[in-house]
Amino acid sequence: MADHHMTKKQKRHTIASIGTVLFMILLFLLLWFIKLTAFKPEEEEGVEVAFGEVADAGGYMAEQSEAVPMPAPVPAAPQSASSPSDNDLMTQEDEESLALRREQEKKERERKEAEAAEKQRQREEQARLEEERKAREAAEAAQRAKEAEAIAKANQFGSLFGQTGNTQGSGSSQGSGQRGNPVGHGSVGGNSWSLAGRGIKGTLPQPSNDFKQEGKVVVRIRVNAAGQVKEATIIGGDVSDKQTQQLALDAARKAKFTEGEHDQIGTITYIFKLN
């Protein structure tokens, strides 16, 4: 059985080998046939000469291809003014930005110059006002010193006669002797006044009796050339009640003095006593 089986196997192998050889032969023949069919003999080269018309005398030439005219280049459409290119727009924007920046810088420069000029003007104005103030204060101080000296001299001179309320400064209802009073002081009812070289017209105004504190109030007065009291300021005394002080100021402003050459500084002293 084994020998019989090997024999069949060998037969199948032999048949497969033969089939393979036949297939290779057929394939070889097929390829050979295809090669023979595709082979073409080369044509003999020659020059064909034609006699007759010039158009036919060109001889044998390879077929020439007709020249195909090339289309003329289409010129680029010019850019219209209404449609600027991107480069033109960027250039225009740069120029406008530069012009705007220059204009802003010019305005800022003008503003700073105006501010500097205004500050300089204010400094000059303040310096001028300060100089005027100092000059005015110096003149007022000199005037006050001069008037204070005159008052002191008048008081020294008046002390020689005493302040007893005589015809030179008694302040009585007659008052005629006070109008030309060269001493410049007097008293009425315990209240006194002092103004160098001036006399009082009528009588010295008395404060209202509606006061709440006893004591003394010294009022500094500025009298003009016509004899009117233009300023009244409390400069001394021992009364702290504001209402009582105001009564003294109101009475002092009503005083009338004889005429003079210029404004003068004097005093009025009021004595307040409760009943």
Side-chain angles (χ1 to χ4, degrees), residues 6-174:
M6 292 298 294
T7 301
K8 288 183 179 180
K9 184 176 181 181
Q10 289 176 355
K11 286 181 180 180
R12 285 196 298 271
H13 180 71
T14 301
I15 292 170
S17 299
I18 293 171
T20 301
V21 171
L22 291 175
F23 176 76
M24 295 298 293
I25 292 171
L26 290 174
L27 181 61
F28 177 76
L29 292 175
L30 180 62
L31 292 174
W32 181 261
F33 177 75
I34 292 172
K35 181 179 181 182
L36 291 177
T37 304
F39 176 75
K40 289 183 180 180
E42 296 181 359
E43 296 181 359
E44 295 182 357
E45 296 181 358
V47 178
E48 183 177 335
V49 179
F51 297 93
E53 295 296 331
V54 176
D56 298 312
Y60 178 80
M61 296 180 64
E63 184 179 357
Q64 296 179 354
S65 61
E66 296 182 359
V68 179
M70 297 296 292
V74 180
Q79 296 179 353
S80 62
S82 61
S83 300
S85 65
D86 293 341
N87 292 334
D88 293 339
L89 289 175
M90 292 177 63
T91 302
Q92 184 178 0
E93 290 177 356
D94 292 342
E95 292 177 353
E96 291 178 355
S97 299
L98 180 60
L100 180 61
R101 185 168 65 252
R102 288 178 178 174
E103 183 66 20
Q104 291 176 348
E105 290 176 354
K106 180 181 178 182
K107 291 182 179 180
E108 182 66 16
R109 190 164 53 250
E110 292 176 352
R111 183 185 66 81
K112 291 182 178 180
E113 291 176 354
E115 289 181 354
E118 178 63 19
K119 290 181 180 179
Q120 180 64 23
R121 187 192 65 79
Q122 292 178 357
R123 285 194 295 268
E124 292 177 353
E125 181 67 14
Q126 290 177 355
R128 184 184 65 81
L129 294 176
E130 184 66 16
E131 290 295 330
E132 291 181 356
R133 184 186 65 80
K134 290 180 179 179
R136 183 171 59 253
E137 290 179 353
E140 291 177 354
Q143 179 67 20
R144 286 194 298 269
K146 182 178 179 181
E147 291 173 353
E149 183 180 0
I151 291 173
K153 290 180 178 180
N155 290 336
Q156 291 177 358
F157 182 76
S159 64
L160 297 176
F161 298 92
Q163 299 180 5
T164 58
N166 57 16
T167 58
Q168 291 181 346
S170 62
S172 63
S173 60
Q174 295 179 356

